[in-house]
């Protein structure tokens, strides 16, 4: 086996990232220029963490540009998986540096890099490429499961909140119905208040009138008696 070539996980897929935006006006302005395919010296650079990205976003909603941006982030995740030595990763990127990834560029990249690392073979390319795809799928599946759980939690919260609000509305509606009934009762009480007290008021007025009439008659009788006394008694 040939000596493994040190890898720089930062920017190894810059050519692939650039190809993503080759037909877009949104191409990142800070994309480094591609390096020659046969260059086996890679200067270590800081690795910028790229959080996992959910690839199952609705494309119709996000739009083509957003999908391209997400694809760049996914390539960032893939960069972290880059194994030491030359393998599928480097051949894929070297082909992209030639302007496209097709049969001619992949074959040319493979031929060029095989001079750098003698144990590079078709089987190694197939094995490492499939391994990268499998590991990437695991990362994306894990992220998708987390997002799905987050979605389920939100949906459960929506159901709970709907039920709570529906119950509160029922209570308020019942309270309003009770208040409406009480209001109607009070309105009727107000409407009938005169009729309620009229008999008592009339009874009082009648008693006052009768009392005054009786007193007046008694006083008249007294006055009559006094007049008789004054006239007939010496």
């Amino acid at each position: 086996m040939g000596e493994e070539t040190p890898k720089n996980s930062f920017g190894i897929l810059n050519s692939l990232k650039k190809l993503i935006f080759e037909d877009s006006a949104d191409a990142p302005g800070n994309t480094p220029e591609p390096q020659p395919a046969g260059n086996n010296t890679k200067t270590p650079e800081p690795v910028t963490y790229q959080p996992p990205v959910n690839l199952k976003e609705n494309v119709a909603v996000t739009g083509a540009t957003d999908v391209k941006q997400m694809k760049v982030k996914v390539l960032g995740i893939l960069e972290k998986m880059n194994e030491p030595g030359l393998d599928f990763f480097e051949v894929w990127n070297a082909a992209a540096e030639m302007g496209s990834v097709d049969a001619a560029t992949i074959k040319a990249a493979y031929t060029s890099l095989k001079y750098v690392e003698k144990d590079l073979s078709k089987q190694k390319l197939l094995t490492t490429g499939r391994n990268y795809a499998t590991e990437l799928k695991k990362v994306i599946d894990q992220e998708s499961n987390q997002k799905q759980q987050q979605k389920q939690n939100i949906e459960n919260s929506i159901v709970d909140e709907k039920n709570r609000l529906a119950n509160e509305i029922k209570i308020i509606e019942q309270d309003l119905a009770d208040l409406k009934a009480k209001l109607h009762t009070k309105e009727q009480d107000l409407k009938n208040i005169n009729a309620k007290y009229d008999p008592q008021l009339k009874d009082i007025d009648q008693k006052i009138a009768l009392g005054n009439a009786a007193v007046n008659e008694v006083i008249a009788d007294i006055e009559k008696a006094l007049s008789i006394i004054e006239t007939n008694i010496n």
Side-chain angles (χ1 to χ4, degrees), residues 1-6 40 84-87 113-121 124:
M1 292 180 63
E3 182 181 354
E4 290 188 343
T5 304
N40 65 338
L86 299 181
D87 57 18
L113 291 177
K114 190 169 178 62
Y115 284 105
V116 178
E117 190 162 315
K118 301 301 181 182
D119 69 344
L120 191 63
S121 65
K124 184 175 183 179

Side-chain angles (χ1 to χ4, degrees), residues 72-109:
V72 170
K73 292 183 179 181
V74 172
L75 289 177
I77 298 172
L78 195 56
E79 284 180 331
K80 310 302 181 296
M81 301 176 182
N82 191 6
E83 297 292 339
L86 299 181
D87 57 18
F88 170 83
F89 230 85
E90 282 66 37
V91 172
W92 191 27
N93 191 58
E97 288 177 351
M98 299 177 192
S100 64
V101 178
D102 53 32
T105 57
I106 288 179
K107 186 174 181 179

Side-chain angles (χ1 to χ4, degrees), residues 41-165:
T41 302
K42 302 180 181 179
T43 304
E45 298 180 25
V47 176
T48 303
Y49 173 73
Q50 294 281 1
V53 179
N54 185 356
L55 290 183
K56 296 183 179 179
E57 291 287 348
N58 188 331
V59 176
V61 175
T62 59
T65 300
D66 289 338
V67 172
K68 288 181 179 181
Q69 294 285 3
M70 286 186 179
K71 191 172 180 180
V72 170
K73 292 183 179 181
V74 172
L75 289 177
I77 298 172
L78 195 56
E79 284 180 331
K80 310 302 181 296
M81 301 176 182
N82 191 6
E83 297 292 339
L86 299 181
D87 57 18
F88 170 83
F89 230 85
E90 282 66 37
V91 172
W92 191 27
N93 191 58
E97 288 177 351
M98 299 177 192
S100 64
V101 178
D102 53 32
T105 57
I106 288 179
K107 186 174 181 179
Y110 170 69
T111 301
S112 176
L113 291 177
K114 190 169 178 62
Y115 284 105
V116 178
E117 190 162 315
K118 301 301 181 182
D119 69 344
L120 191 63
S121 65
K122 174 182 178 180
Q123 187 58 45
K124 184 175 183 179
L125 295 182
L126 294 175
T127 300
T128 55
R130 287 166 182 159
N131 287 343
Y132 287 134
T134 298
E135 291 304 313
L136 180 61
K137 186 66 166 59
K138 288 180 181 179
V139 172
I140 299 307
D141 285 346
Q142 182 180 10
E143 173 69 12
S144 297
N145 289 337
Q146 291 174 352
K147 294 299 183 184
Q148 188 62 38
Q149 184 60 51
Q150 183 180 359
K151 177 183 176 182
Q152 185 63 51
N153 291 339
I154 293 174
E155 289 176 343
N156 291 341
S157 296
I158 291 173
V159 172
D160 292 341
E161 189 166 352
K162 281 184 176 180
N163 290 336
R164 178 178 60 80
L165 290 172

